[in-house]
């Protein structure tokens, strides 16, 4: 099962596809065959949920897993290894659902996860440097209304 696809940011005939079995295949569309395969997750039941190419370095890629047991982001340099990431960024407590590399600054990455957090990463320090608040646009009014309705129902006498 394919979970994501991404065009290479530097080479127009290179495409990557990620899979539910924990792998990413980098395709050479001119040759019509795989160029390499990354074994992103040691457990084949851990899907690669998202991936992104570095906008300025066509051989750097970030992958993420939606598995709650290993919610890290992995940075890959395809020149170095297809079996061992350069580093793993850890900050989510639940599986990562999506990520995106800043197209204007290749030192910044965003990720969001099942832990209901959206993190901005500095790839020089390899740390999450900001969290985007995840707030109800109504300011919590809908939750307050539901809570008030529940209290009113509890206070009504049984008939």
């Amino acid at each position: 099962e394919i979970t994501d696809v991404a065009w290479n940011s530097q080479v127009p005939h290179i495409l990557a596809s990620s899979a539910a079995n924990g792998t990413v295949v980098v395709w050479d569309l001119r040759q019509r065959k795989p160029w390499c395969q990354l074994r992103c997750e040691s457990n084949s039941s851990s899907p690669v949920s998202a991936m992104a190419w570095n906008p300025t370095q066509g051989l750097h890629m970030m992958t993420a897993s939606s598995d709650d047991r290993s919610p890290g982001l992995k940075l890959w340099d395809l020149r170095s290894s297809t079996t061992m990431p350069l580093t793993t960024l850890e900050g989510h407590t639940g599986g990562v659902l999506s990520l995106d590399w800043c197209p204007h600054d290749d030192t910044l990455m965003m990720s969001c996860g099942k832990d209901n957090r959206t993190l901005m990463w500095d790839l020089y320090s390899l740390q999450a440097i900001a969290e985007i608040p995840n707030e109800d646009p109504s300011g919590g009014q809908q939750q307050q209304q539901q809570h008030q309705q529940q209290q009113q129902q509890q206070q009504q006498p049984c008939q």
Side-chain angles (χ1 to χ4, degrees):
E1 173 182 328
I2 301 298
T3 57
D4 198 11
V5 293
W7 289 105
N8 185 282
S9 58
Q10 301 295 305
V11 185
H13 63 275
I14 300 294
L15 175 85
S17 61
S18 62
N21 68 358
T23 61
V24 170
V25 177
V26 178
W27 297 91
D28 181 333
L29 298 179
R30 282 191 183 157
Q31 300 293 321
R32 295 188 175 146
K33 63 181 185 179
W35 180 71
C36 72
Q37 179 173 312
L38 304 177
R39 168 57 55 195
C40 301
E41 302 302 323
S42 56
N43 180 352
S44 64
S45 67
S46 298
V48 175
S49 57
M51 64 184 166
W53 291 96
N54 181 316
T56 62
Q57 302 289 325
L59 291 170
H60 290 175
M61 173 184 281
M62 189 75 74
T63 62
S65 173
S66 60
D67 188 342
D68 293 338
R69 296 168 296 178
S70 60
L73 285 76
K74 295 181 180 179
L75 177 62
W76 301 86
D77 182 340
L78 302 183
R79 295 170 295 196
S80 299
S81 177
T82 58
T83 58
M84 196 73 160
L86 289 176
T87 191
T88 300
L89 307 178
E90 296 176 350
H92 285 284
T93 57
V96 178
L97 299 172
S98 182
L99 59 87
D100 198 17
W101 218 305
C102 178
H104 310 290
D105 183 347
D106 68 357
T107 67
L108 296 176
M109 168 76 62
M110 296 292 295
S111 64
C112 63
K114 294 179 186 177
D115 57 3
N116 210 27
R117 298 176 70 204
T118 302
L119 301 176
M120 179 186 296
W121 299 90
D122 174 358
L123 298 180
Y124 278 136
S125 69
L126 302 176
Q127 298 293 317
I129 57 170
E131 184 170 350
I132 306 300
N134 185 12
E135 297 178 4
D136 182 353
S138 68
Q141 292 174 349
Q142 188 176 21
Q143 280 185 324
Q144 286 177 334
Q145 289 173 349
Q146 288 174 345
H147 182 68
Q148 287 173 349
Q149 288 174 349
Q150 288 173 348
Q151 283 184 331
Q152 288 172 353
Q153 289 172 349
Q154 290 172 353
Q155 292 173 354
Q156 290 178 353
C158 295
Q159 294 178 2

